Amino acid sequence: MALTGERTVPGLAEENYWFRRHEVVYRQLAHRCAGRDVLEAGSGEGYGADLIAEVARNVIGLDYDESAVAHVRARYPRVDMRQGNLAELPLSDGAVDVVVNFQVIEHLWDQGQFVAECLRVLRPGGVLLMSTPNRITFSPGRDTPINPFHTRELNAAELTELLESAGFRMEGVHGVFHGQRLRGLDARHGGSIIDAQITRALADAPWPTDLLADVASVSADDFDIVEAGAGADIDDSLDLVAIAVRP
């Protein structure tokens, strides 16, 4: 499957930090999918849908990209992979118990329409699990995203408003933070291992050996997910994680 820089792929040393930063959310929230019918809307490479399939009753993966759909069907056969538009989910009303949408909402032009579709396909009491980069730390000081592939980034208050305005009841908003070991790697690489990776990418130069080794060593356990108000400022988080319920 072609690398785009926006689709997180496992098994690549240079991509490992971003892969693990996404993987931790799947691992922390997989229990919410146990024994349930799940839709992953925007399933990308498919590793997350496959991880969820370890515990779920059934997992439907949905992506707009034909190459991603073909890749998931070939690599992850226990995922019921389909092609479709997230603005018009190809499922009937009340079809699933859980909708998973990780690191996707920031790419969508009509976020409100998508969230309304999530509400429609969920059964009463069903859960929407969503993650997205925190606008405050991902594009600091800007109203428009730094990342040209993002249409609109959100802070915690904006994410909450988006979900509540569609009719969801918020169960909680959490933040993804660097844990102790990653804070040590930040210090080792001039204050931010993220900035060190971006600098290398912009320079289009070979990876320094120590940076590549440190990036390759990152695991999901190196990140902390903290609920808003539980000892960390949600506005300082790297990514936001929302849990919302269809009444």
Side-chain angles (χ1 to χ4, degrees):
M1 188 169 64
L3 296 175
T4 65
E6 282 301 292
R7 184 186 293 120
T8 307
V9 176
L12 299 176
E14 294 86 351
E15 291 287 318
N16 186 60
Y17 168 86
W18 300 103
F19 168 65
R20 300 301 180 186
R21 182 164 146 181
H22 292 183
E23 181 193 29
V24 65
V25 183
Y26 284 101
R27 295 202 175 277
Q28 290 283 336
L29 295 182
H31 71 280
R32 302 297 300 254
C33 303
R36 310 186 83 181
D37 296 324
V38 180
L39 166 68
E40 182 170 21
S43 50
E45 194 273 341
Y47 70 87
D50 188 62
L51 187 156
I52 291 168
E54 294 177 3
V55 300
R57 178 168 51 203
N58 177 58
V59 178
I60 298 169
L62 182 68
D63 205 278
Y64 188 74
D65 183 75
E66 291 184 6
S67 65
V69 172
H71 172 84
V72 174
R73 286 174 175 167
R75 184 166 183 175
Y76 304 112
R78 59 185 174 181
V79 176
D80 177 6
M81 191 63 198
R82 307 178 188 181
Q83 184 179 13
N85 190 335
L86 298 192
E88 297 179 358
L89 296 176
L91 277 74
S92 60
D93 295 358
V96 294
D97 302 300
V98 182
V99 175
V100 173
N101 181 248
F102 292 160
Q103 305 295 317
V104 174
I105 189 75
E106 66 276 5
H107 294 273
L108 303 182
W109 287 104
D110 195 338
Q111 295 176 348
Q113 170 66 18
F114 167 68
V115 173
E117 280 289 278
C118 291
L119 189 80
R120 180 184 65 78
V121 303
L122 279 168
R123 295 165 185 152
V127 179
L128 171 62
L129 307 175
M130 181 177 287
S131 74
T132 188
N134 178 11
R135 176 175 61 79
I136 295 173
T137 57
F138 205 81
S139 296
R142 294 171 58 102
D143 292 327
T144 56
I146 291 175
N147 188 321
F149 295 99
H150 293 181
T151 61
R152 179 195 176 205
E153 294 169 355
L154 304 160
N155 62 27
E158 292 162 343
L159 179 58
T160 297
E161 181 182 7
L162 175 68
L163 298 179
E164 289 184 337
S165 65
F168 280 97
R169 173 179 59 80
M170 296 302 297
E171 182 176 309
V173 179
H174 301 66
V176 177
F177 295 85
H178 281 181
Q180 182 176 0
R181 182 173 175 273
L182 267 172
R183 292 195 297 271
L185 294 182
D186 282 332
R188 180 175 176 180
H189 294 283
S192 171
I193 194 171
I194 299 172
D195 289 347
Q197 293 176 80
I198 293 172
T199 298
R200 193 244 34 114
L202 292 175
D204 195 23
W207 282 75
T209 302
D210 61 339
L211 176 61
L212 183 57
D214 284 343
V215 168
S217 75
V218 174
S219 77
D221 292 336
D222 291 322
F223 296 90
D224 295 332
I225 298 182
V226 181
E227 187 173 4
D233 188 343
I234 195 71
D235 288 342
D236 292 335
S237 65
L238 302 168
D239 299 314
L240 301 168
V241 181
I243 302 174
V245 178
R246 176 188 171 179

